[in-house]
Amino acid sequence: KQEVTQIPAALSVPEGENLVLNCSFTDSAIYNLQWFRQDPGKGLTSLLLIQSSQREQTSGRLNASLDKSSGRSTLYIAASQPGDSATYLCATRGGTSYGKLTFGQGTILTVHP
Amino acid sequence: DTAVSQTPKYLVTQMGNDKSIKCEQNLGHDTMYWYKQDSKKFLKIMFSYNNKELIINETVPNRFSPKSPDKAHLNLHINSLELGDSAVYFCASSLRELNTGELFFGEGSRLTVL
């Protein structure tokens, strides 16, 4: 059974800092890993999707890496801004047909001015 | 314009009642999902439907019954509501052919059972 863990649970940084969010998973047989952002009272917004054959994906100030063999992914946020404050969730998609997403519990990020 | 839409956004009801949450997607996807986010913000899959056919049922109590009238809609009906059913329920969709595809989520329906 897949288990996904995110560290740290919460992070508070001053504006402008570069930061790294960590995600680890126990079963490396995945199709892909997806990073989401959730704002309070809102749904999930997909940030980056990394296929199992890929090592990293980039979108603007975000860079996500995947090391499938070691069961780890990191989300790197460059030059953080107050608008980046949200909960960040990683989720793996199972390596079977109709694979389901298994979520970590999230990292609550606060970027203060 | 909304890709995955859920109604209602908020639902407050008494224990023992029956309620439904509706979900619609206009992305042309053929796989839809219901996820539950509990008070600790942990998201867990409940059901998945592919083209109106149930494909994932994660040991959810049979008081929960999903219904898919067509591949663009997946509704969730809950009978005999209990306090522990209070949570945020998220609908999502993806392309079935692409197990590698992204999931797109609705904004959630917050259910409070009193």
Side-chain angles (χ1 to χ4, degrees):
Chain A
K1 178 186 168 186
Q2 179 73 284
E3 290 182 7
V4 180
T5 304
Q6 290 187 244
I7 295 172
L11 185 61
S12 180
V13 299
E15 183 176 5
E17 271 203 11
N18 302 325
L19 53 98
V20 174
L21 307 182
N22 296 292
C23 172
S24 62
F25 47 95
T26 55
D27 185 352
S28 61
I30 61 171
Y31 275 121
N32 58 45
L33 185 144
Q34 200 166 346
W35 282 93
F36 294 89
R37 168 187 173 137
Q38 185 176 23
D39 293 284
K42 298 288 187 183
L44 280 70
T45 302
S46 179
L47 297 173
L48 289 164
L49 173 70
I50 312 178
Q51 303 299 346
S52 61
S53 59
Q54 296 175 323
R55 297 285 292 183
E56 66 178 317
Q57 281 287 331
T58 298
S59 176
R61 294 181 295 106
L62 305 180
N63 176 279
S65 67
L66 175 64
D67 183 343
K68 205 173 79 149
S69 59
S70 68
R72 293 172 191 264
S73 176
T74 60
L75 179 67
Y76 175 83
I77 303 177
S80 57
Q81 303 170 357
D84 294 331
S85 298
T87 298
Y88 290 80
L89 295 155
C90 73
T92 60
R93 190 153 190 195
T96 58
S97 294
Y98 311 111
K100 63 182 184 183
L101 282 184
T102 302
F103 281 87
Q105 288 186 276
T107 293
I108 302 171
L109 173 65
T110 304
V111 181
H112 45 89
Chain B
D1 258 336
T2 306
V4 181
S5 58
Q6 302 176 223
T7 54
K9 191 172 170 112
Y10 300 97
L11 187 53
V12 181
T13 189
Q14 301 285 334
M15 276 177 57
N17 284 350
D18 303 338
K19 290 294 177 187
S20 293
I21 305 172
K22 295 185 177 181
C23 179
E24 175 182 6
Q25 54 92 6
N26 62 6
L27 296 167
H29 289 167
D30 37 27
T31 304
M32 295 184 72
Y33 311 80
W34 279 108
Y35 280 80
K36 178 180 179 180
Q37 187 172 43
D38 61 25
S39 57
K40 296 182 179 178
K41 308 295 184 188
F42 192 57
L43 267 158
K44 191 171 180 183
I45 191 166
M46 299 173 68
F47 300 104
S48 175
Y49 265 73
N50 179 64
N51 202 14
K52 303 192 297 176
E53 180 186 348
L54 178 67
I55 52 176
I56 293 176
N57 181 341
E58 284 288 300
T59 56
V60 177
N62 58 14
R63 297 182 296 104
F64 290 78
S65 52
K67 286 190 171 48
S68 182
D70 55 63
K71 72 174 192 177
H73 296 83
L74 180 63
N75 304 323
L76 183 64
H77 189 76
I78 315 171
N79 290 328
S80 304
L81 279 156
E82 300 177 357
L83 293 177
D85 298 332
S86 295
V88 182
Y89 293 85
F90 286 97
C91 178
S93 71
S94 67
L95 272 173
R96 175 280 189 251
E97 294 83 5
L98 296 177
N99 283 318
T100 52
E102 282 180 277
L103 266 70
F104 294 85
F105 281 78
E107 294 221 327
S109 297
R110 181 176 294 276
L111 171 65
T112 303
V113 182
L114 303 176

